Amino acid sequence: MDDLIASPASEVPFRISFSGHGGHLRLDPTPHPPNPIPDFVLPPAYPPESPSSVKEYLEANYLDPELYIPTAANDARVWDVDWFDLARPPLEPSAPRTMLVPAWEPPFRRRPSTSSKEPQVWDPKSVQMEMSQVFDSGTGGMVPRMPGPAKDFVRGRVNSRPFRPGGLQDDEAEAAALEKAFPEGARNVDWVRELMSGGPALIAPPGFPKGIDLGQLKEYNSHWKCFRDGEQVEEQPVSSSNDTMDKYSVQFDDLFKISWEEDDVNIVSREDDGEHLARDEGTNDINEQKVDKLQDGSETLARADTDKHELNIIGDVSETQMDLDKMLSSEVQDTHRETSGLGDDKPAQEGKDWALVVGDDGIVTNFHKLVPDMAIEYPFELDKFQKEAIYYLEKGESVFVAAHTSAGKTVVAEYAFALATKHCTRAVYTAPIKTISNQKYRDFCGKFDVGLLTGDVSIRPEATCLIMTTEILRSMLYRGADIIRDIEWVIFDEVHYVNDAERGVVWEEVIIMLPKHINIVLLSATVPNTVEFADWIGRTKQKKIRVTTTNKRPVPLEHCLFYSGEVYKVCEKDIFLTQGFREAKDAFKMKNSNKFGAKPGTKSGTPAVRSGTQGRNPDTSSKGRDQKHPKHHHTNSGAAAIQQNTSGPRRSDLFWMPLINNLLKKSLVPVVIFCFSKNRCDRSAESMFAADLTSNSDKSEIRVFCDKAFSRLKGSDRNLPQVLGIQSLLRRGIGVHHAGLLPIVKEVVEMLFCRGVIKVLFSTETFAMGVNAPARTVVFDTLRKFDGKEHRKLLPGEYIQMAGRAGRRGLDTIGTVIMMCRDEIPEESDLKNLLVGKPTRLESQFRLTYTMILHLLRVEELKVEDMLKRSFAEFHAQKDLPQKEKLLLQMLRQPTKTIECIKGEPSIEEYYNMFLESEEHREFVTEAIMHLHTTQQFLAPGRLLVVKSKSDDDHFLGVIVKNPSAALKQYVVLVLTGDSTSSALAPNLSKQNENGPGESQQGYFVIPPKGKRGMEEEFFSSGRTRKSSGVINIKLPYTGDTSGMGFEVRAVENKEIISICTSKIKIDQVGLLEDISKTAYTKTVQMLIKEQSDGKYPPALDAIKDLKMKDMDQVKRYLAHNSLLQKMSENKCHNCIKLKEHKLLMKDQKVHKDQLDQLKYQMSDEALQQMPQFQGRIDVLKEIHYIDSDLVVQLKGRVACEMNSGEELITTECLFENQLDDLEPEEAVAIMSAFVFQQRNASEPSLTPKLAEAKKRVYDTAIRLGQLQKRHEVPVDPEEYARGNLKFGLVEVVYEWAKGTPFADICELTDVSEGLIVRTIVRLDETCREFRNAASIMGNSALFKKMEIASNAIKRDIVFAASLYVTGI
């Protein structure tokens, strides 16, 4: 040891590099330095090496599974040890509570050196900090938070706070978190200058009291090219420390600070690679692309390598290594351009489009060059949209794929799985239906490390690729599961399911809650507003979404009508064929004409079955609800059911067999026949008892498959009528698929259909959504469906989804879709809209739930208001906020005119407020007066009125010329408008008289004669004996002047009448309205002038005394109006000469203020659509003590967060009211079935007295909660709330099942189908698990034990038989 002498730092070769996204400095000893200058590896924003060297460096340091042992010299001894076999890490290592953080000090505060010639020694002190302070454990934001227990790794726990959702722009919170995580010494760049200038080396490592002095670092002699405003100035040596260098240090520091903090505070915007790929390829503008590369602030070294390689391919130019000076100069210019607002990538508030539609042929042409090392190879040529999606997945961007059914969207999901496997991260595949999850698990199981998470199944949750339902992912996000850290991709399949009224909100919640490090892959059928939906996601998550679509189906479709044994083609290649439709229509007319006098469909034994187009449900007549178990006489697809059918099935057989024979002759099988009723599917299959569509080899295959599949059932379950009946149908090539089938039976049908041995399948529309099984032909039994509320026509989107199952890619050149026509042919417009109309738009189904509110109240960074703002429903309103902010600033800067009062005491504001209030009272009183019966007696032609002017700043005296009629529902009034200042209007009278009394000019408003109006009107005339015909030969409004006074004849609304005068004059109605007599107008005007002598109007009728107003509210408003008029007359402004001018100024100011208030309101949280409901729900939660007055979640609220199966309030209240305490486990689980059972019209169960009492308690609780919500203005009807959330139809069935009754026996207790019984019991097991977790939170050990016993009691036999997709066969 004595021989060892510490060598100077200049003789120790080392390498300086940055590690991790945070940019921590690392010193790596190197055995053979290429030169005496330390090799400085630049930050990720400044890649200095070639693509090959960067790739080798990444593979050697991060991808190769080997232990890196740094050595200080060539002669260092290295032992060959298998570290991986010796390592035995604990399953749940304890996390450190504290960590050492270096505290950087400026040079003038450092300890002095021993020699005056030597610079001050850099010996930073270390500070011990709590891990919770360094890593923001509450938000889970830009830095990792503390991990939880291993048992909660996948599902999370209710006490864990969710991770910070991506897209939140909270600069202050991120800056505070950055300050905690990285001290000042790690965020400034003075240490970089010291290293390059040859400063002192660090002596003591962090936390060590002593160290070793290695001497001075060797100086890096070089020069900096300094830039100002993008132009180069004089060069300065790096080691210089004079004032000249200081003025450039800010730019230098800023550049490194930007590169350091780019991944955390998003100072530099993300680049838009590939958006203009084809244009760049055509122009070969490589230098511009280099600058764009340098603008990227979030790319890693690996992506930098990919981008460089990409440019080499597209431009076909060999690039040389860029030196540091060029990069700095480019970066300086780009920084100035970004700060000046000229950058390409702008944040959302600058109006950026986040959805970028992909349409670049350069990606498809050069795909194998752009993606040379694919994560997974495919044995077929990829389509255009698949190549585009894979290219952007490789670039780490989010993708929205909207493609036709059976186009191959699953390829994109597979590639995301492959990338996650390659990157050693995780990917999550979510589906709306459990059947899809099970099927995808089977499809992916042989290719990837796959796990499955559903409500009742948990298989390998630690796998790299997880398949789960969307509800499971939402629960993981709300509960802060630590597995979220590892997820790189989330794949949303069947995104158009967001339109589902019940579950569509789940998609929006998950998308909003996803952290920013997770990329999104969306797979959807073609929808018209794909870009709009993608723009919402991109704006919400603050990341670009690449949209790729398909223009046509891979297998084109032809659409036909089947009528009277013939097929008529009506649409091909999305073009409606009018000729084919006319031929079908002619055949229909010809057949009906031959059957004149007879009902269609009754000849030759054909049943007169009404088509679904008639709006009737053909299945309701045979429901038979008065029987105890009527379903098993009709819906079981078994041999016993077949024997019970007589004439009905035979008639249906005659209907279906002509179509089936036609399809068999044309080789158009297999065929899927969609019937929108479970009963219809069963009866149609049973009707084909004479048909045998399979060969002997098919029969053998079906028998062997069924024997293997049903062998997992115990003896009694194998003999269920449904199991036996379906095997009889399958052996003849006929299948049935609907929700009423047992899960194992449905899976057998699906698998056999995919094998091609089932030729005819009768199915409901769930087959089109949940099963990836295309057919040769698709048949629609009817074009109408019952959606749970009413019978309606199929929507174009629903039709396209089901019709898309026709045409097998690689097998068929064209797919055939047939629509059955029984009694009539659909209308051409309806058919055209269905076949070539636009699919259903993606619409927001976002709604507030109590669970959502309670979960979000636990997250400080994301309030409920933020969730509402980020919903798809508020997308357009939030998108317009930047424009509204600019408009608001402009309006605030707009100067307002001040009102200068000539009397010295301005009271115009008070006067104007009284004026507005009096006008409000006047309009109300006038409207009330006009509806009084006594008023109509006074409002006759000749009655004088005081009416408002059009400008609302004056009022005129007028006379009623004509009462309202059927054609003109307003009073026609002649009003005096003031002294005549011009005679320009006078020619109107003479010109009008030239037409004669019986003519009317074109464009004039004409009232029909009174005989046609059906009403009697008396007109008072002076000097005329002819009665008015009711015709108006003048165009309203009609203006003129006579006797030095201007007048106007116009229609007057009720609210324009200020008062009804006591005076009345005689008028010549014929001369005023029909003959347009100047004499009549002159005489009328003179009488009006006489009535307002001395400038005063005639007295008005008193509303109380003369018009007999008696209503208390009306009288009160009338008196208030009079009182305001009195106060206004006493105000100083009343007789002011500038009153009119000041009133106009006050009006402008009020309009301006109202516009400001309206704009502020639209930008506030109060303008959110669901904000009133949110306030009501908050009040409900406070009253029942789920939260306190400070919105802190209490114990009851934490329990409610566990309830996902049933309505959270009802289930939680039942627990805290101990309603299950006096029940046995079997009785408790039976009552709990009311929370999860969904069918409304089930038969009434027969309950024991104890169960009946428990049922009443639960129902009363629901009624009480409904009344509470209604009281707080939540839109809830108590009775409907209770009936909708509590359905007791299977209480007896579940009770018997929990007691051990065989499945065949419990099916006889209800008319509910077997499939729904199984689904309810399976969901009930999940409810038991939730109640058990709630009991542990409450500390109720008795309830915890009871739920365990209940769960074990129902988990048996066929109900919990394993899925064939999961276990295989």
Side-chain angles (χ1 to χ4, degrees):
M1 295 298 295
D2 296 335
D3 297 335
L4 294 179
I5 301 175
S7 59
S10 59
E11 299 181 4
V12 179
F14 62 92
R15 175 189 180 96
I16 305 175
S17 62
F18 291 92
S19 64
H21 290 285
H24 296 287
L25 187 66
R26 191 175 74 185
L27 296 175
D28 296 336
T30 56
H32 292 290
N35 53 61
I37 301 174
D39 186 8
F40 180 73
V41 180
L42 297 172
Y46 309 95
E49 303 186 34
S50 64
S52 58
S53 63
V54 173
K55 183 176 180 181
E56 293 176 359
Y57 174 77
L58 290 175
E59 290 178 349
N61 290 273
Y62 299 103
L63 302 180
D64 291 344
E66 61 182 12
L67 188 64
Y68 175 69
I69 304 177
T71 58
N74 286 334
D75 57 349
R77 184 173 301 178
V78 180
W79 289 268
D80 187 10
V81 179
D82 192 348
W83 294 96
F84 292 98
D85 287 344
L86 297 179
R88 293 292 184 267
L91 295 180
E92 187 178 345
S94 59
R97 296 179 178 270
T98 60
M99 67 177 297
L100 292 174
V101 177
W104 184 82
E105 295 180 351
F108 62 85
R109 289 187 179 176
R110 298 174 185 171
R111 66 178 178 86
S113 59
T114 56
S115 174
S116 58
K117 297 182 179 180
E118 297 180 359
Q120 293 172 322
V121 180
W122 182 16
D123 191 11
K125 298 179 181 179
S126 298
V127 180
Q128 185 170 330
M129 299 181 63
E130 293 286 336
M131 290 288 290
S132 59
Q133 296 179 7
V134 178
F135 298 104
D136 194 6
S137 60
T139 63
M142 65 169 197
V143 290
R145 61 172 204 183
M146 291 289 291
K151 62 184 180 64
D152 300 324
F153 180 75
V154 176
R155 297 278 185 169
R157 55 178 176 172
V158 72
N159 292 331
S160 299
R161 297 172 64 182
F163 288 85
R164 179 183 175 87
L168 295 183
Q169 296 179 342
D170 190 354
D171 297 336
E172 294 182 1
E174 291 191 359
L178 181 67
E179 180 71 26
K180 290 182 179 180
F182 307 107
E184 180 67 23
R187 286 182 282 120
N188 64 45
V189 295
D190 286 347
W191 53 269
V192 178
R193 186 174 301 151
E194 290 187 19
L195 288 176
M196 292 184 173
S197 301
L202 180 65
I203 296 178
F208 282 64
K210 295 181 179 181
I212 182 172
D213 189 356
L214 299 178
Q216 298 291 317
L217 296 172
K218 191 169 184 178
E219 183 179 0
Y220 181 14
N221 296 318
S222 63
H223 290 78
W224 290 110
K225 288 185 178 180
C226 303
F227 290 81
R228 177 182 295 163
D229 298 331
E231 297 183 0
Q232 183 177 350
V233 295
E234 69 275 9
E235 296 185 358
Q236 295 291 338
V238 175
S239 58
S240 64
S241 59
N242 52 23
D243 296 337
T244 306
M245 191 63 196
D246 291 340
K247 62 184 179 182
Y248 303 112
S249 62
V250 175
Q251 292 187 8
F252 178 83
D253 293 351
D254 288 344
L255 293 178
F256 277 91
K257 188 172 183 180
I258 287 174
S259 67
W260 196 283
E261 300 174 353
E262 57 193 3
D263 291 328
D264 298 318
V265 294
N266 296 320
I267 296 178
V268 181
S269 302
R270 291 185 283 271
E271 70 168 351
D272 183 13
D273 285 339
E275 184 177 4
H276 307 293
L277 191 62
R279 185 183 65 187
D280 294 339
E281 181 183 4
T283 60
N284 292 331
D285 192 359
I286 301 301
N287 293 329
E288 183 180 351
Q289 293 184 29
K290 290 180 183 177
V291 175
D292 292 338
K293 298 299 174 190
L294 293 174
Q295 287 181 348
D296 183 12
S298 60
E299 293 289 310
T300 60
L301 286 173
R303 285 190 58 184
D305 172 45
T306 305
D307 293 339
K308 276 192 171 185
H309 183 59
E310 189 178 301
L311 288 175
N312 290 334
I313 295 171
I314 297 176
D316 198 17
V317 177
S318 60
E319 299 182 12
T320 59
Q321 182 68 29
M322 297 181 63
D323 59 4
L324 182 61
D325 299 332
K326 282 187 177 181
M327 287 190 291
L328 286 176
S329 62
S330 300
E331 185 66 27
V332 170
Q333 296 174 8
D334 296 338
T335 304
H336 285 298
R337 183 164 64 243
E338 286 192 8
T339 56
S340 62
L342 299 178
D344 177 60
D345 294 344
K346 295 292 179 184
Q349 54 268 25
E350 295 296 331
K352 176 178 178 179
D353 291 331
W354 294 95
L356 304 176
V357 180
V358 179
D360 191 358
D361 295 334
I363 296 177
V364 180
T365 305
N366 302 306
F367 176 74
H368 294 290
K369 297 180 180 179
L370 294 173
V371 190
D373 185 17
M374 294 185 63
I376 182 175
E377 296 292 339
Y378 294 97
F380 52 85
E381 181 66 21
L382 296 175
D383 289 344
K384 179 177 181 293
F385 80 95
Q386 293 170 338
K387 291 181 178 179
E388 292 171 344
I390 289 175
Y391 168 72
Y392 286 109
L393 290 182
E394 284 280 358
K395 289 173 64 67
E397 298 188 28
S398 298
V399 177
F400 189 169
V401 179
H404 291 80
T405 307
S406 303
K409 296 186 290 291
T410 307
V411 169
V412 182
E414 283 186 0
Y415 202 83
F417 273 12
L419 281 178
T421 304
K422 180 180 180 181
H423 298 164
C424 298
T425 56
R426 297 180 192 268
V428 170
Y429 180 98
T430 68
I433 298 177
K434 182 181 174 182
T435 304
I436 301 180
S437 300
N438 292 338
Q439 190 180 55
K440 295 301 180 185
Y441 177 81
R442 181 197 64 177
D443 296 342
F444 294 148
C445 209
K447 301 178 182 179
F448 309 104
D449 178 26
V450 184
L452 179 64
L453 290 174
T454 59
D456 59 315
V457 176
S458 179
I459 301 175
R460 302 196 69 253
E462 73 281 357
T464 301
C465 306
L466 292 175
I467 299 173
M468 63 184 69
T469 57
T470 317
E471 283 79 2
I472 297 293
L473 180 57
R474 178 183 63 173
S475 176
M476 292 165 56
L477 290 169
Y478 276 138
R479 297 162 67 95
D482 288 318
I483 197 175
I484 300 296
R485 309 169 190 272
D486 302 338
I487 298 176
E488 181 183 9
W489 304 97
V490 170
I491 303 135
F492 294 93
D493 199 1
E494 309 289 350
V495 174
H496 49 273
Y497 206 83
V498 75
N499 284 339
D500 184 75
E502 293 296 326
R503 300 173 58 204
V505 61
V506 181
W507 271 256
E508 296 189 52
E509 286 185 76
V510 171
I511 290 172
I512 295 172
M513 289 295 296
L514 285 176
K516 67 177 181 181
H517 71 274
I518 296 179
N519 292 319
I520 302 172
V521 179
L522 302 113
L523 309 178
S524 170
T526 51
V527 290
N529 59 333
T530 304
V531 176
E532 178 190 10
F533 192 77
D535 193 24
W536 164 69
I537 296 175
R539 195 171 301 274
T540 301
K541 310 309 295 179
Q542 293 290 291
K543 59 173 61 177
K544 295 175 184 176
I545 308 294
R546 302 288 179 170
V547 180
T548 177
T549 60
T550 55
N551 298 324
K552 60 181 180 179
R553 285 178 48 84
V555 180
L557 298 180
E558 61 176 8
H559 304 264
C560 308
L561 297 176
F562 184 82
Y563 178 74
S564 188
E566 296 294 332
V567 177
Y568 303 91
K569 186 184 298 184
V570 295
C571 185
E572 187 176 20
K573 297 181 180 179
D574 294 334
I575 300 176
F576 188 80
L577 305 178
T578 308
Q579 181 64 29
F581 177 80
R582 289 176 180 173
E583 292 176 0
K585 203 74 173 178
D586 294 340
F588 170 74
K589 294 178 179 178
M590 185 177 299
K591 183 175 181 179
N592 286 344
S593 63
N594 294 335
K595 296 183 179 182
F596 182 78
K599 293 183 179 180
T602 59
K603 191 174 182 179
S604 303
T606 303
V609 181
R610 300 291 291 174
S611 171
T613 57
Q614 296 296 318
R616 298 182 181 179
N617 187 354
D619 308 316
T620 56
S621 60
S622 58
K623 194 68 177 178
R625 299 193 184 282
D626 53 341
Q627 302 178 20
K628 187 62 180 176
H629 44 87
K631 175 188 72 68
H632 300 281
H633 295 291
H634 302 286
T635 60
N636 280 335
S637 303
I642 294 175
Q643 296 174 2
Q644 293 167 0
N645 290 280
T646 56
S647 59
R650 292 180 184 273
R651 291 197 297 268
S652 297
D653 181 35
L654 296 176
F655 174 76
W656 284 113
M657 286 313 298
L659 173 65
I660 302 302
N661 291 332
N662 192 321
L663 297 178
L664 289 172
K665 290 178 182 178
K666 298 179 181 180
S667 299
L668 296 180
V669 290
V671 56
V672 177
I673 301 176
F674 286 107
C675 304
F676 301 104
S677 165
K678 297 189 292 289
N679 293 339
R680 179 70 179 168
C681 289
D682 290 329
R683 288 203 305 271
S684 298
E686 294 162 6
S687 67
M688 298 180 61
F689 61 91
D692 191 352
L693 310 177
T694 55
S695 61
N696 290 332
S697 60
D698 292 339
K699 286 183 172 61
S700 176
E701 182 179 354
I702 292 170
R703 182 183 296 275
V704 172
F705 186 89
C706 290
D707 289 344
K708 288 183 178 180
F710 295 126
S711 63
R712 63 189 64 200
L713 304 178
K714 73 174 190 179
S716 60
D717 291 339
R718 295 179 196 171
N719 298 323
L720 289 172
Q722 192 179 100
V723 175
L724 297 176
I726 198 67
Q727 292 185 71
S728 174
L729 289 173
L730 292 176
R731 283 194 289 270
R732 293 185 284 112
I734 302 170
V736 178
H737 189 281
H738 55 72
L741 296 179
L742 294 165
I744 191 172
V745 172
K746 282 202 299 184
E747 291 177 351
V748 167
V749 172
E750 293 164 6
M751 291 181 174
L752 287 177
F753 186 83
C754 292
R755 294 190 176 197
V757 294
I758 296 180
K759 309 303 180 184
V760 179
L761 178 64
F762 295 92
S763 172
T764 56
E765 61 180 321
T766 55
F767 186 81
M769 174 68 76
V771 183
N772 183 19
R776 177 64 179 86
T777 306
V778 164
V779 176
F780 287 88
D781 178 47
T782 177
L783 297 180
R784 295 180 67 91
K785 63 174 285 190
F786 182 72
D787 60 2
K789 297 180 180 178
E790 60 179 356
H791 284 89
R792 60 168 175 81
K793 298 175 183 177
L794 283 180
L795 299 176
E798 296 171 337
Y799 177 85
I800 293 172
Q801 179 73 21
M802 289 179 275
R805 294 303 173 189
R808 299 162 296 178
R809 189 170 186 178
L811 298 177
D812 305 322
T813 57
I814 194 169
T816 304
V817 183
I818 298 176
M819 293 160 280
M820 303 297 296
C821 300
R822 295 186 176 89
D823 292 343
E824 66 177 8
I825 304 295
E827 293 294 333
E828 182 177 1
S829 59
D830 295 339
L831 196 61
K832 187 178 297 185
N833 178 62
L834 191 68
L835 299 181
V836 298
K838 289 185 177 181
T840 308
R841 290 172 52 87
L842 294 177
E843 300 288 347
S844 175
Q845 303 296 332
F846 190 87
R847 68 182 189 279
L848 278 175
T849 62
Y850 290 104
T851 302
M852 182 195 305
I853 294 174
L854 291 170
H855 277 300
L856 292 178
L857 289 179
R858 299 168 44 243
V859 188
E860 295 179 359
E861 288 74 19
L862 183 66
K863 301 183 294 184
V864 181
E865 294 88 338
D866 296 329
M867 178 71 83
L868 294 177
K869 289 178 184 178
R870 285 162 173 76
S871 67
F872 189 36
E874 299 287 346
F875 166 60
H876 292 290
Q878 297 298 312
K879 186 178 181 180
D880 296 337
L881 278 183
Q883 288 75 18
K884 292 180 180 179
E885 291 176 358
K886 293 180 180 178
L887 179 60
L888 179 62
L889 293 176
Q890 292 175 1
M891 294 181 66
L892 290 174
R893 288 195 296 263
Q894 181 179 346
T896 57
K897 295 182 179 179
T898 59
I899 300 176
E900 298 180 358
C901 181
I902 60 176
K903 297 185 177 181
E905 296 180 3
S907 58
I908 184 62
E909 185 174 354
E910 178 187 359
Y911 184 88
Y912 189 75
N913 290 335
M914 288 191 295
F915 168 73
L916 293 179
E917 188 177 356
S918 66
E919 282 295 295
E920 183 180 351
H921 287 311
R922 186 195 61 77
E923 291 184 5
F924 175 83
V925 172
T926 302
E927 192 67 28
I929 288 175
M930 299 305 292
H931 287 85
L932 293 176
H933 177 69
T934 54
T935 304
Q936 305 304 320
Q937 301 174 4
F938 292 95
L939 293 176
R943 175 68 61 180
L944 299 189
L945 303 174
V946 179
V947 299
K948 294 178 62 176
S949 65
K950 292 183 178 179
S951 60
D952 289 342
D953 58 356
D954 203 353
H955 46 274
F956 303 133
L957 180 66
V959 60
I960 298 178
V961 179
K962 189 178 184 306
N963 282 0
S965 60
L968 182 62
K969 301 183 183 300
Q970 296 170 326
Y971 289 93
V972 179
V973 180
L974 185 149
V975 296
L976 300 180
T977 58
D979 296 337
S980 175
T981 57
S982 173
S983 60
L985 298 176
N988 289 339
L989 294 175
S990 60
K991 185 177 180 180
Q992 190 70 15
N993 286 328
E994 294 176 0
N995 294 322
E999 300 178 9
S1000 60
Q1001 290 185 347
Q1002 184 178 4
Y1004 277 42
F1005 198 89
V1006 180
I1007 304 295
K1010 65 176 182 178
K1012 296 183 180 181
R1013 298 196 305 271
M1015 59 181 296
E1016 284 294 331
E1017 293 182 352
E1018 293 295 335
F1019 301 96
F1020 299 94
S1021 61
S1022 175
R1024 291 180 185 267
T1025 58
R1026 178 168 63 90
K1027 282 190 175 182
S1028 173
S1029 63
V1031 177
I1032 300 178
N1033 288 334
I1034 59 175
K1035 184 177 181 180
L1036 302 179
Y1038 179 74
T1039 59
D1041 69 282
T1042 182
S1043 300
M1045 180 68 69
F1047 67 87
E1048 181 182 29
V1049 182
R1050 62 187 176 98
V1052 174
E1053 298 279 357
N1054 289 347
K1055 64 181 181 180
E1056 297 180 63
I1057 299 176
I1058 294 179
S1059 63
I1060 305 172
C1061 300
T1062 57
S1063 301
K1064 187 176 181 182
I1065 64 174
K1066 289 187 178 182
I1067 62 170
D1068 183 2
Q1069 194 177 56
V1070 175
L1072 295 174
L1073 299 180
E1074 298 183 31
D1075 296 343
I1076 304 95
S1077 170
K1078 187 174 183 179
T1079 303
Y1081 278 100
T1082 302
K1083 190 172 183 178
T1084 304
V1085 169
Q1086 289 177 351
M1087 286 190 289
L1088 286 175
I1089 294 174
K1090 185 178 180 180
E1091 289 292 335
Q1092 64 172 15
S1093 59
D1094 300 332
K1096 296 182 180 180
Y1097 293 149
L1101 294 172
D1102 188 89
I1104 301 176
K1105 295 179 181 179
D1106 300 324
L1107 302 179
K1108 310 300 182 185
M1109 179 186 288
K1110 298 180 180 180
D1111 184 88
M1112 292 297 295
D1113 186 38
Q1114 296 175 3
V1115 171
K1116 185 178 179 181
R1117 298 284 291 269
Y1118 175 72
L1119 296 176
H1121 175 251
N1122 291 339
S1123 175
L1124 285 171
L1125 292 179
Q1126 181 65 26
K1127 292 180 181 179
M1128 289 171 61
S1129 64
E1130 298 171 356
N1131 192 284
K1132 296 179 181 181
C1133 297
H1134 188 64
N1135 297 319
C1136 179
I1137 59 175
K1138 289 192 173 183
L1139 176 61
K1140 185 175 181 180
E1141 176 188 347
H1142 289 175
K1143 282 178 65 176
L1144 290 176
L1145 289 176
M1146 284 299 303
K1147 182 179 179 181
D1148 293 341
Q1149 289 183 9
K1150 180 170 177 55
V1151 169
H1152 182 74
K1153 183 177 181 300
D1154 291 343
Q1155 291 176 348
L1156 279 177
D1157 294 341
Q1158 179 66 19
L1159 204 55
K1160 291 178 181 178
Y1161 173 77
Q1162 293 175 359
M1163 297 172 60
S1164 67
D1165 294 342
E1166 301 299 323
L1168 299 174
Q1169 296 178 11
Q1170 300 195 35
M1171 199 62 187
Q1173 188 182 143
F1174 166 62
Q1175 297 295 344
R1177 291 180 182 267
I1178 287 291
D1179 294 338
V1180 170
L1181 293 175
K1182 287 181 180 179
E1183 184 163 337
I1184 55 181
H1185 306 297
Y1186 284 57
I1187 59 178
D1188 61 12
S1189 58
D1190 297 326
L1191 303 183
V1192 177
V1193 180
Q1194 303 299 300
L1195 176 62
K1196 293 177 74 172
R1198 291 173 53 199
V1199 171
C1201 290
E1202 291 285 343
M1203 302 301 172
N1204 297 315
S1205 299
E1207 211 282 335
E1208 52 270 25
L1209 294 189
I1210 300 177
T1211 52
T1212 304
E1213 289 300 305
C1214 288
L1215 285 179
F1216 278 88
E1217 292 175 1
N1218 299 323
Q1219 295 188 12
L1220 303 179
D1221 285 3
D1222 60 339
L1223 301 178
E1224 297 297 325
E1226 295 83 3
E1227 296 170 332
V1229 75
I1231 288 296
M1232 290 163 57
S1233 67
F1235 301 141
V1236 296
F1237 182 50
Q1238 296 179 338
Q1239 182 172 314
R1240 285 179 174 267
N1241 49 2
S1243 59
E1244 191 66 24
S1246 176
L1247 304 180
T1248 64
K1250 203 171 181 180
L1251 286 175
E1253 176 68 20
K1255 172 186 173 182
K1256 184 178 182 304
R1257 290 199 304 262
V1258 174
Y1259 191 82
D1260 291 344
T1261 300
I1263 292 293
R1264 175 173 55 82
L1265 290 171
Q1267 294 171 347
L1268 174 64
Q1269 296 177 75
K1270 185 177 181 181
R1271 190 163 65 249
H1272 288 286
E1273 299 182 356
V1274 179
V1276 166
D1277 178 66
E1279 292 291 339
E1280 183 61 30
Y1281 174 75
R1283 288 194 300 267
N1285 292 297
L1286 296 175
K1287 301 179 182 67
F1288 298 93
L1290 287 185
V1291 172
E1292 181 186 8
V1293 171
V1294 175
Y1295 178 64
E1296 294 296 332
W1297 176 253
K1299 290 171 60 178
T1301 305
F1303 188 79
D1305 294 340
I1306 67 170
C1307 290
E1308 302 298 325
L1309 301 175
T1310 182
D1311 61 351
V1312 179
S1313 61
E1314 294 92 329
L1316 292 180
I1317 294 175
V1318 171
R1319 186 190 307 173
T1320 301
I1321 298 177
V1322 169
R1323 292 192 61 197
L1324 197 54
D1325 177 62
E1326 184 179 356
T1327 306
C1328 290
R1329 184 166 58 249
E1330 294 172 358
F1331 274 53
R1332 189 171 65 241
N1333 296 338
S1336 64
I1337 296 175
M1338 297 168 58
N1340 192 337
S1341 59
L1343 180 62
F1344 186 92
K1345 184 67 174 177
K1346 185 179 294 184
M1347 289 298 101
E1348 280 189 338
I1349 297 173
S1351 177
N1352 295 330
I1354 62 176
K1355 291 175 66 173
R1356 60 183 178 86
D1357 300 347
I1358 193 173
V1359 173
F1360 284 85
S1363 171
L1364 300 179
Y1365 290 117
V1366 175
T1367 60
I1369 184 171

